[in-house]
Amino acid sequence: MKNFLIAFAVFLVWSFFGLWLYFWLQPGMETAKANLNTTIEQQENKTNGVSNDLYEDLGDSILPIQSIKDSIFVTQENQKEISEAPLGLKAISNEGDIIFLFPEGITITKNSALLKIPPSAVDFKYKLNTYLLEHPNREIHISSQYSASEDIQSPNLGIQRGQQLKEILIKTGIPSERIVIKPHIKSIEFDNNNTFSNSFTFFFKPLDTARINELTSKIPESRIAYPNFTTTGILVNENLRTLLAEVVTIVKQNPDIQMEVVGHTDNVGNANDNYILGLQYARQVRWYLINKGDISPTKIKAVSKGEAEPLDTNRSDAGRDANRRVEVKFYLDK
C-alpha cells in the first residue's frame, strides 16, 4: 500500500509538470507573456506618475488619450476662439504664439463706440509697430467684439471701435493698408457699469498683397478746382460746385477714403504770406465740402503749399492764374 501511494504521488507530480510544459510551449503563451510584461511596465510607469492607459498609437506618433480628447476642440475654426479667451489685451502671431499680453484690456461701454485704454496697456501700439517693422510680410487683424444686445448701428459698433484703434495705429506709423478690422458679434456679459474689458485681440497674418493692390487701385485721381479768388477768400462758382458733386460721389463709392484739401498760390508777395493765404483757401473749401456735401470732418484736412508747387510760370498772368488753385487729394489712411 505504501509503494502504491508513493507511485501515485510521483504520477501526479509528473502529470502537473507535463501539463505546465505543454501550455508553456503553446503559441498563445507568448501573448500571455507579453501581456504580463506590459502589466509589469504599466505598474512601473504608474510609480513614475505616468500610465500607459493614457496613450493610444496614432500611426507613427503616440499621444495621450486625454490630449486626443482635448484636440477634438482645437479645430482651425475653434483655435481662434481659444486665442480670444478673455485674458486681457494680447497679440498673437500667425503661428499661434503670444507676442504680448497686457492683463488689463481696452474697455468698451455698451451702446457706445468710445474706448478706454488703461495706462498699463498704452504701449500696445508701439509693440505692434515694432513687430511689423521686424516682419514686413505681416499685417494686423483687429478682432473687435460687439454684442447682439447692443443697439443696431451702421456701421456696427465692432467696426466703429476697431476704426478707433486703427486710427491710433496709423498715428503710430503703421500703414493703413496693413490694418484690417474684423468685427465679431458675440455674447458679452457687461458688468454693472455696462462695461467690458476684453473685446479686442490683435492677430498677425500673412500680408495680403492682392487686397492691398485692390485698395490702391481704388484711390481716385486728385481733383483741381479754381474757385473765384478774392483778397478776403474764395467765392463759390460752377467750378467749385462741380468739385463738390465729384467729391460726394467718390466718398459714397469709397467709404474708407480720406481727403486732403491743398491750397496753392502764385508767388506774388512773400512766401510766408502766400502759405497763410493758401491755408485760408484750403480751409474755406474744406468747410464748403463738409457743410454742402454732408461729409464727415474727420475725412478731410486742410493744408497749404503756398507758392512752393506751381503748375506754370509765374511770369505771366495766365501762369499765375493756373497756380492759384485748390487741389483735393484722395488717399487711404496713412
Side-chain angles (χ1 to χ4, degrees), residues 105-143:
I106 297 174
T107 300
I108 63 172
T109 301
K110 189 174 183 179
N111 298 325
S112 172
L114 297 178
L115 306 178
K116 182 179 179 181
I117 301 174
S120 62
V122 293
D123 286 343
F124 79 93
K125 52 188 177 182
Y126 303 116
K127 292 183 179 292
L128 293 173
N129 190 30
T130 299
Y131 187 89
L132 281 185
L133 290 174
E134 295 173 349
H135 300 80
N137 60 339
R138 292 288 186 265
E139 63 185 27
I140 297 176
H141 288 199
I142 303 174
S143 174

mmCIF file of all heavy atoms in Angstrom, residues 105-143:
data_model
loop_
_atom_site.group_PDB
_atom_site.id
_atom_site.type_symbol
_atom_site.label_atom_id
_atom_site.label_comp_id
_atom_site.label_asym_id
_atom_site.label_seq_id
_atom_site.Cartn_x
_atom_site.Cartn_y
_atom_site.Cartn_z
ATOM 1 N N GLY A 105 -7.388 94.826 -20.330
ATOM 2 C CA GLY A 105 -7.782 95.046 -21.707
ATOM 3 C C GLY A 105 -8.378 96.427 -21.913
ATOM 4 O O GLY A 105 -8.572 97.194 -20.967
ATOM 5 N N ILE A 106 -8.667 96.752 -23.161
ATOM 6 C CA ILE A 106 -9.304 98.024 -23.502
ATOM 7 C C ILE A 106 -10.790 97.921 -23.172
ATOM 8 O O ILE A 106 -11.454 96.963 -23.550
ATOM 9 C CB ILE A 106 -9.097 98.347 -24.981
ATOM 10 C CG1 ILE A 106 -7.601 98.526 -25.275
ATOM 11 C CG2 ILE A 106 -9.873 99.597 -25.386
ATOM 12 C CD1 ILE A 106 -7.278 98.699 -26.739
ATOM 13 N N THR A 107 -11.306 98.909 -22.475
ATOM 14 C CA THR A 107 -12.691 98.875 -22.005
ATOM 15 C C THR A 107 -13.636 99.488 -23.028
ATOM 16 O O THR A 107 -13.377 100.578 -23.555
ATOM 17 C CB THR A 107 -12.826 99.620 -20.669
ATOM 18 O OG1 THR A 107 -11.986 99.002 -19.689
ATOM 19 C CG2 THR A 107 -14.265 99.585 -20.171
ATOM 20 N N ILE A 108 -14.729 98.773 -23.304
ATOM 21 C CA ILE A 108 -15.803 99.311 -24.128
ATOM 22 C C ILE A 108 -17.033 99.524 -23.244
ATOM 23 O O ILE A 108 -17.156 98.920 -22.177
ATOM 24 C CB ILE A 108 -16.161 98.369 -25.296
ATOM 25 C CG1 ILE A 108 -16.700 97.029 -24.764
ATOM 26 C CG2 ILE A 108 -14.962 98.145 -26.201
ATOM 27 C CD1 ILE A 108 -17.258 96.113 -25.842
ATOM 28 N N THR A 109 -17.914 100.398 -23.692
ATOM 29 C CA THR A 109 -19.162 100.667 -22.983
ATOM 30 C C THR A 109 -20.327 100.273 -23.870
ATOM 31 O O THR A 109 -20.311 100.551 -25.077
ATOM 32 C CB THR A 109 -19.263 102.158 -22.611
ATOM 33 O OG1 THR A 109 -18.146 102.512 -21.784
ATOM 34 C CG2 THR A 109 -20.545 102.430 -21.836
ATOM 35 N N LYS A 110 -21.303 99.662 -23.286
ATOM 36 C CA LYS A 110 -22.454 99.181 -24.058
ATOM 37 C C LYS A 110 -23.114 100.331 -24.816
ATOM 38 O O LYS A 110 -23.330 101.413 -24.275
ATOM 39 C CB LYS A 110 -23.471 98.518 -23.125
ATOM 40 C CG LYS A 110 -24.600 97.808 -23.851
ATOM 41 C CD LYS A 110 -25.485 97.043 -22.881
ATOM 42 C CE LYS A 110 -26.569 96.275 -23.628
ATOM 43 N NZ LYS A 110 -27.431 95.503 -22.702
ATOM 44 N N ASN A 111 -23.394 100.075 -26.091
ATOM 45 C CA ASN A 111 -24.072 101.020 -26.989
ATOM 46 C C ASN A 111 -23.250 102.272 -27.285
ATOM 47 O O ASN A 111 -23.790 103.277 -27.739
ATOM 48 C CB ASN A 111 -25.444 101.431 -26.426
ATOM 49 C CG ASN A 111 -26.382 100.252 -26.284
ATOM 50 O OD1 ASN A 111 -26.371 99.329 -27.094
ATOM 51 N ND2 ASN A 111 -27.191 100.272 -25.237
ATOM 52 N N SER A 112 -21.951 102.212 -27.036
ATOM 53 C CA SER A 112 -21.080 103.359 -27.301
ATOM 54 C C SER A 112 -19.838 102.905 -28.043
ATOM 55 O O SER A 112 -19.348 101.795 -27.828
ATOM 56 C CB SER A 112 -20.677 104.035 -25.989
ATOM 57 O OG SER A 112 -19.684 105.024 -26.213
ATOM 58 N N ALA A 113 -19.320 103.777 -28.898
ATOM 59 C CA ALA A 113 -18.089 103.466 -29.630
ATOM 60 C C ALA A 113 -16.857 103.944 -28.895
ATOM 61 O O ALA A 113 -15.737 103.692 -29.339
ATOM 62 C CB ALA A 113 -18.147 104.096 -31.021
ATOM 63 N N LEU A 114 -17.039 104.629 -27.780
ATOM 64 C CA LEU A 114 -15.908 105.162 -27.037
ATOM 65 C C LEU A 114 -15.086 104.043 -26.402
ATOM 66 O O LEU A 114 -15.637 103.031 -25.955
ATOM 67 C CB LEU A 114 -16.396 106.126 -25.949
ATOM 68 C CG LEU A 114 -17.117 107.384 -26.451
ATOM 69 C CD1 LEU A 114 -17.585 108.227 -25.274
ATOM 70 C CD2 LEU A 114 -16.202 108.191 -27.363
ATOM 71 N N LEU A 115 -13.773 104.254 -26.356
ATOM 72 C CA LEU A 115 -12.863 103.266 -25.784
ATOM 73 C C LEU A 115 -12.106 103.882 -24.614
ATOM 74 O O LEU A 115 -11.855 105.088 -24.595
ATOM 75 C CB LEU A 115 -11.854 102.780 -26.834
ATOM 76 C CG LEU A 115 -12.411 102.229 -28.147
ATOM 77 C CD1 LEU A 115 -11.258 101.855 -29.063
ATOM 78 C CD2 LEU A 115 -13.307 101.037 -27.897
ATOM 79 N N LYS A 116 -11.729 103.039 -23.676
ATOM 80 C CA LYS A 116 -10.885 103.478 -22.569
ATOM 81 C C LYS A 116 -9.681 102.553 -22.499
ATOM 82 O O LYS A 116 -9.816 101.366 -22.207
ATOM 83 C CB LYS A 116 -11.662 103.444 -21.246
ATOM 84 C CG LYS A 116 -10.833 103.945 -20.064
ATOM 85 C CD LYS A 116 -11.638 103.917 -18.773
ATOM 86 C CE LYS A 116 -10.796 104.406 -17.595
ATOM 87 N NZ LYS A 116 -11.563 104.367 -16.324
ATOM 88 N N ILE A 117 -8.511 103.112 -22.787
ATOM 89 C CA ILE A 117 -7.277 102.329 -22.774
ATOM 90 C C ILE A 117 -6.605 102.499 -21.418
ATOM 91 O O ILE A 117 -6.278 103.637 -21.031
ATOM 92 C CB ILE A 117 -6.335 102.776 -23.892
ATOM 93 C CG1 ILE A 117 -7.034 102.622 -25.258
ATOM 94 C CG2 ILE A 117 -5.037 101.974 -23.871
ATOM 95 C CD1 ILE A 117 -6.233 103.165 -26.424
ATOM 96 N N PRO A 118 -6.391 101.432 -20.669
ATOM 97 C CA PRO A 118 -5.765 101.559 -19.349
ATOM 98 C C PRO A 118 -4.311 101.994 -19.474
ATOM 99 O O PRO A 118 -3.637 101.658 -20.459
ATOM 100 C CB PRO A 118 -5.876 100.146 -18.767
ATOM 101 C CG PRO A 118 -5.947 99.249 -19.952
ATOM 102 C CD PRO A 118 -6.698 100.025 -20.999
ATOM 103 N N PRO A 119 -3.810 102.755 -18.514
ATOM 104 C CA PRO A 119 -2.406 103.212 -18.572
ATOM 105 C C PRO A 119 -1.414 102.063 -18.699
ATOM 106 O O PRO A 119 -0.361 102.221 -19.322
ATOM 107 C CB PRO A 119 -2.230 103.956 -17.238
ATOM 108 C CG PRO A 119 -3.608 104.387 -16.860
ATOM 109 C CD PRO A 119 -4.524 103.297 -17.346
ATOM 110 N N SER A 120 -1.753 100.910 -18.143
ATOM 111 C CA SER A 120 -0.824 99.776 -18.177
ATOM 112 C C SER A 120 -0.683 99.174 -19.567
ATOM 113 O O SER A 120 0.222 98.375 -19.813
ATOM 114 C CB SER A 120 -1.295 98.696 -17.205
ATOM 115 O OG SER A 120 -2.576 98.203 -17.582
ATOM 116 N N ALA A 121 -1.587 99.546 -20.504
ATOM 117 C CA ALA A 121 -1.571 98.923 -21.835
ATOM 118 C C ALA A 121 -1.304 99.912 -22.964
ATOM 119 O O ALA A 121 -1.428 99.552 -24.136
ATOM 120 C CB ALA A 121 -2.899 98.204 -22.088
ATOM 121 N N VAL A 122 -0.918 101.142 -22.627
ATOM 122 C CA VAL A 122 -0.772 102.157 -23.676
ATOM 123 C C VAL A 122 0.357 101.843 -24.656
ATOM 124 O O VAL A 122 0.371 102.350 -25.783
ATOM 125 C CB VAL A 122 -0.528 103.557 -23.056
ATOM 126 C CG1 VAL A 122 -1.752 104.035 -22.314
ATOM 127 C CG2 VAL A 122 0.690 103.534 -22.146
ATOM 128 N N ASP A 123 1.271 100.974 -24.256
ATOM 129 C CA ASP A 123 2.398 100.646 -25.139
ATOM 130 C C ASP A 123 2.049 99.614 -26.203
ATOM 131 O O ASP A 123 2.916 99.236 -27.004
ATOM 132 C CB ASP A 123 3.579 100.130 -24.317
ATOM 133 C CG ASP A 123 4.285 101.248 -23.558
ATOM 134 O OD1 ASP A 123 4.078 102.420 -23.918
ATOM 135 O OD2 ASP A 123 5.035 100.950 -22.609
ATOM 136 N N PHE A 124 0.798 99.166 -26.243
ATOM 137 C CA PHE A 124 0.430 98.132 -27.208
ATOM 138 C C PHE A 124 0.718 98.578 -28.638
ATOM 139 O O PHE A 124 1.147 97.783 -29.479
ATOM 140 C CB PHE A 124 -1.057 97.760 -27.056
ATOM 141 C CG PHE A 124 -2.009 98.730 -27.684
ATOM 142 C CD1 PHE A 124 -2.469 98.548 -28.990
ATOM 143 C CD2 PHE A 124 -2.468 99.841 -26.984
ATOM 144 C CE1 PHE A 124 -3.351 99.430 -29.572
ATOM 145 C CE2 PHE A 124 -3.346 100.745 -27.559
ATOM 146 C CZ PHE A 124 -3.792 100.535 -28.856
ATOM 147 N N LYS A 125 0.481 99.858 -28.935
ATOM 148 C CA LYS A 125 0.658 100.362 -30.307
ATOM 149 C C LYS A 125 2.122 100.315 -30.732
ATOM 150 O O LYS A 125 2.431 100.019 -31.896
ATOM 151 C CB LYS A 125 0.118 101.784 -30.414
ATOM 152 C CG LYS A 125 0.659 102.747 -29.376
ATOM 153 C CD LYS A 125 -0.070 104.080 -29.409
ATOM 154 C CE LYS A 125 0.428 105.006 -28.309
ATOM 155 N NZ LYS A 125 -0.319 106.283 -28.300
ATOM 156 N N TYR A 126 3.014 100.587 -29.788
ATOM 157 C CA TYR A 126 4.441 100.555 -30.126
ATOM 158 C C TYR A 126 4.922 99.116 -30.337
ATOM 159 O O TYR A 126 5.758 98.860 -31.210
ATOM 160 C CB TYR A 126 5.254 101.226 -29.027
ATOM 161 C CG TYR A 126 4.835 102.647 -28.761
ATOM 162 C CD1 TYR A 126 4.292 103.017 -27.531
ATOM 163 C CD2 TYR A 126 4.954 103.623 -29.745
ATOM 164 C CE1 TYR A 126 3.895 104.327 -27.290
ATOM 165 C CE2 TYR A 126 4.551 104.938 -29.511
ATOM 166 C CZ TYR A 126 4.020 105.278 -28.277
ATOM 167 O OH TYR A 126 3.620 106.561 -28.038
ATOM 168 N N LYS A 127 4.394 98.202 -29.549
ATOM 169 C CA LYS A 127 4.773 96.791 -29.708
ATOM 170 C C LYS A 127 4.277 96.248 -31.048
ATOM 171 O O LYS A 127 4.975 95.486 -31.725
ATOM 172 C CB LYS A 127 4.213 95.971 -28.549
ATOM 173 C CG LYS A 127 4.867 96.286 -27.207
ATOM 174 C CD LYS A 127 4.322 95.397 -26.107
ATOM 175 C CE LYS A 127 4.990 95.706 -24.774
ATOM 176 N NZ LYS A 127 6.420 95.321 -24.783
ATOM 177 N N LEU A 128 3.062 96.650 -31.441
ATOM 178 C CA LEU A 128 2.539 96.223 -32.741
ATOM 179 C C LEU A 128 3.376 96.789 -33.881
ATOM 180 O O LEU A 128 3.702 96.084 -34.843
ATOM 181 C CB LEU A 128 1.083 96.669 -32.886
ATOM 182 C CG LEU A 128 0.061 96.009 -31.957
ATOM 183 C CD1 LEU A 128 -1.303 96.678 -32.111
ATOM 184 C CD2 LEU A 128 -0.043 94.517 -32.219
ATOM 185 N N ASN A 129 3.719 98.054 -33.765
ATOM 186 C CA ASN A 129 4.526 98.698 -34.806
ATOM 187 C C ASN A 129 5.899 98.050 -34.908
ATOM 188 O O ASN A 129 6.401 97.785 -36.017
ATOM 189 C CB ASN A 129 4.661 100.189 -34.505
ATOM 190 C CG ASN A 129 5.281 100.963 -35.659
ATOM 191 O OD1 ASN A 129 5.117 100.598 -36.820
ATOM 192 N ND2 ASN A 129 5.998 102.016 -35.350
ATOM 193 N N THR A 130 6.515 97.772 -33.771
ATOM 194 C CA THR A 130 7.841 97.143 -33.768
ATOM 195 C C THR A 130 7.799 95.771 -34.426
ATOM 196 O O THR A 130 8.675 95.415 -35.226
ATOM 197 C CB THR A 130 8.371 97.017 -32.327
ATOM 198 O OG1 THR A 130 8.487 98.324 -31.756
ATOM 199 C CG2 THR A 130 9.729 96.337 -32.301
ATOM 200 N N TYR A 131 6.760 95.001 -34.121
ATOM 201 C CA TYR A 131 6.656 93.659 -34.700
ATOM 202 C C TYR A 131 6.507 93.737 -36.220
ATOM 203 O O TYR A 131 7.126 92.949 -36.953
ATOM 204 C CB TYR A 131 5.472 92.916 -34.092
ATOM 205 C CG TYR A 131 5.388 91.466 -34.519
ATOM 206 C CD1 TYR A 131 6.041 90.474 -33.802
ATOM 207 C CD2 TYR A 131 4.654 91.088 -35.646
ATOM 208 C CE1 TYR A 131 5.977 89.150 -34.191
ATOM 209 C CE2 TYR A 131 4.587 89.764 -36.045
ATOM 210 C CZ TYR A 131 5.246 88.794 -35.308
ATOM 211 O OH TYR A 131 5.178 87.489 -35.712
ATOM 212 N N LEU A 132 5.706 94.680 -36.702
ATOM 213 C CA LEU A 132 5.524 94.810 -38.148
ATOM 214 C C LEU A 132 6.809 95.277 -38.832
ATOM 215 O O LEU A 132 7.106 94.859 -39.955
ATOM 216 C CB LEU A 132 4.392 95.784 -38.449
ATOM 217 C CG LEU A 132 2.967 95.242 -38.310
ATOM 218 C CD1 LEU A 132 1.960 96.280 -38.760
ATOM 219 C CD2 LEU A 132 2.776 93.956 -39.093
ATOM 220 N N LEU A 133 7.558 96.143 -38.172
ATOM 221 C CA LEU A 133 8.833 96.575 -38.744
ATOM 222 C C LEU A 133 9.802 95.400 -38.869
ATOM 223 O O LEU A 133 10.571 95.307 -39.831
ATOM 224 C CB LEU A 133 9.452 97.672 -37.872
ATOM 225 C CG LEU A 133 8.740 99.039 -37.894
ATOM 226 C CD1 LEU A 133 9.373 99.974 -36.883
ATOM 227 C CD2 LEU A 133 8.781 99.645 -39.282
ATOM 228 N N GLU A 134 9.736 94.490 -37.901
ATOM 229 C CA GLU A 134 10.611 93.320 -37.922
ATOM 230 C C GLU A 134 10.072 92.223 -38.836
ATOM 231 O O GLU A 134 10.818 91.319 -39.224
ATOM 232 C CB GLU A 134 10.775 92.773 -36.499
ATOM 233 C CG GLU A 134 11.491 93.746 -35.557
ATOM 234 C CD GLU A 134 11.496 93.255 -34.123
ATOM 235 O OE1 GLU A 134 10.768 92.275 -33.838
ATOM 236 O OE2 GLU A 134 12.213 93.846 -33.294
ATOM 237 N N HIS A 135 8.773 92.293 -39.172
ATOM 238 C CA HIS A 135 8.148 91.277 -40.029
ATOM 239 C C HIS A 135 7.374 91.987 -41.146
ATOM 240 O O HIS A 135 6.140 92.113 -41.079
ATOM 241 C CB HIS A 135 7.207 90.381 -39.212
ATOM 242 C CG HIS A 135 7.874 89.652 -38.101
ATOM 243 N ND1 HIS A 135 8.175 90.251 -36.882
ATOM 244 C CD2 HIS A 135 8.302 88.360 -38.012
ATOM 245 C CE1 HIS A 135 8.757 89.360 -36.095
ATOM 246 N NE2 HIS A 135 8.854 88.213 -36.754
ATOM 247 N N PRO A 136 8.061 92.474 -42.162
ATOM 248 C CA PRO A 136 7.401 93.231 -43.236
ATOM 249 C C PRO A 136 6.420 92.413 -44.071
ATOM 250 O O PRO A 136 5.680 92.987 -44.870
ATOM 251 C CB PRO A 136 8.577 93.710 -44.096
ATOM 252 C CG PRO A 136 9.691 92.757 -43.793
ATOM 253 C CD PRO A 136 9.513 92.360 -42.369
ATOM 254 N N ASN A 137 6.406 91.117 -43.887
ATOM 255 C CA ASN A 137 5.476 90.262 -44.638
ATOM 256 C C ASN A 137 4.222 89.934 -43.829
ATOM 257 O O ASN A 137 3.519 88.970 -44.105
ATOM 258 C CB ASN A 137 6.168 88.961 -45.054
ATOM 259 C CG ASN A 137 6.658 88.155 -43.859
ATOM 260 O OD1 ASN A 137 6.840 88.708 -42.761
ATOM 261 N ND2 ASN A 137 6.873 86.871 -44.045
ATOM 262 N N ARG A 138 3.936 90.740 -42.808
ATOM 263 C CA ARG A 138 2.768 90.513 -41.961
ATOM 264 C C ARG A 138 1.862 91.745 -41.970
ATOM 265 O O ARG A 138 2.273 92.852 -42.281
ATOM 266 C CB ARG A 138 3.190 90.204 -40.520
ATOM 267 C CG ARG A 138 3.896 88.869 -40.345
ATOM 268 C CD ARG A 138 2.917 87.717 -40.482
ATOM 269 N NE ARG A 138 3.533 86.430 -40.185
ATOM 270 C CZ ARG A 138 4.040 85.616 -41.082
ATOM 271 N NH1 ARG A 138 4.036 85.991 -42.364
ATOM 272 N NH2 ARG A 138 4.558 84.455 -40.732
ATOM 273 N N GLU A 139 0.592 91.530 -41.622
ATOM 274 C CA GLU A 139 -0.364 92.600 -41.429
ATOM 275 C C GLU A 139 -1.130 92.351 -40.130
ATOM 276 O O GLU A 139 -1.099 91.229 -39.596
ATOM 277 C CB GLU A 139 -1.339 92.692 -42.616
ATOM 278 C CG GLU A 139 -2.203 91.459 -42.812
ATOM 279 C CD GLU A 139 -3.059 91.535 -44.071
ATOM 280 O OE1 GLU A 139 -2.655 92.230 -45.024
ATOM 281 O OE2 GLU A 139 -4.138 90.883 -44.109
ATOM 282 N N ILE A 140 -1.813 93.362 -39.624
ATOM 283 C CA ILE A 140 -2.535 93.251 -38.348
ATOM 284 C C ILE A 140 -4.026 93.104 -38.610
ATOM 285 O O ILE A 140 -4.608 93.874 -39.380
ATOM 286 C CB ILE A 140 -2.308 94.495 -37.472
ATOM 287 C CG1 ILE A 140 -0.841 94.641 -37.098
ATOM 288 C CG2 ILE A 140 -3.142 94.410 -36.194
ATOM 289 C CD1 ILE A 140 -0.556 95.906 -36.316
ATOM 290 N N HIS A 141 -4.627 92.124 -37.956
ATOM 291 C CA HIS A 141 -6.079 91.998 -37.945
ATOM 292 C C HIS A 141 -6.572 92.364 -36.546
ATOM 293 O O HIS A 141 -6.153 91.752 -35.561
ATOM 294 C CB HIS A 141 -6.509 90.579 -38.302
ATOM 295 C CG HIS A 141 -6.304 90.239 -39.745
ATOM 296 N ND1 HIS A 141 -6.944 89.193 -40.374
ATOM 297 C CD2 HIS A 141 -5.540 90.823 -40.702
ATOM 298 C CE1 HIS A 141 -6.566 89.138 -41.639
ATOM 299 N NE2 HIS A 141 -5.712 90.114 -41.860
ATOM 300 N N ILE A 142 -7.439 93.356 -36.469
ATOM 301 C CA ILE A 142 -8.020 93.771 -35.186
ATOM 302 C C ILE A 142 -9.321 93.020 -34.996
ATOM 303 O O ILE A 142 -10.312 93.279 -35.690
ATOM 304 C CB ILE A 142 -8.279 95.288 -35.145
ATOM 305 C CG1 ILE A 142 -6.990 96.070 -35.409
ATOM 306 C CG2 ILE A 142 -8.884 95.691 -33.810
ATOM 307 C CD1 ILE A 142 -7.207 97.574 -35.520
ATOM 308 N N SER A 143 -9.328 92.073 -34.073
ATOM 309 C CA SER A 143 -10.562 91.360 -33.740
ATOM 310 C C SER A 143 -11.336 92.212 -32.744
ATOM 311 O O SER A 143 -10.903 92.414 -31.611
ATOM 312 C CB SER A 143 -10.245 89.992 -33.136
ATOM 313 O OG SER A 143 -11.434 89.364 -32.684
#
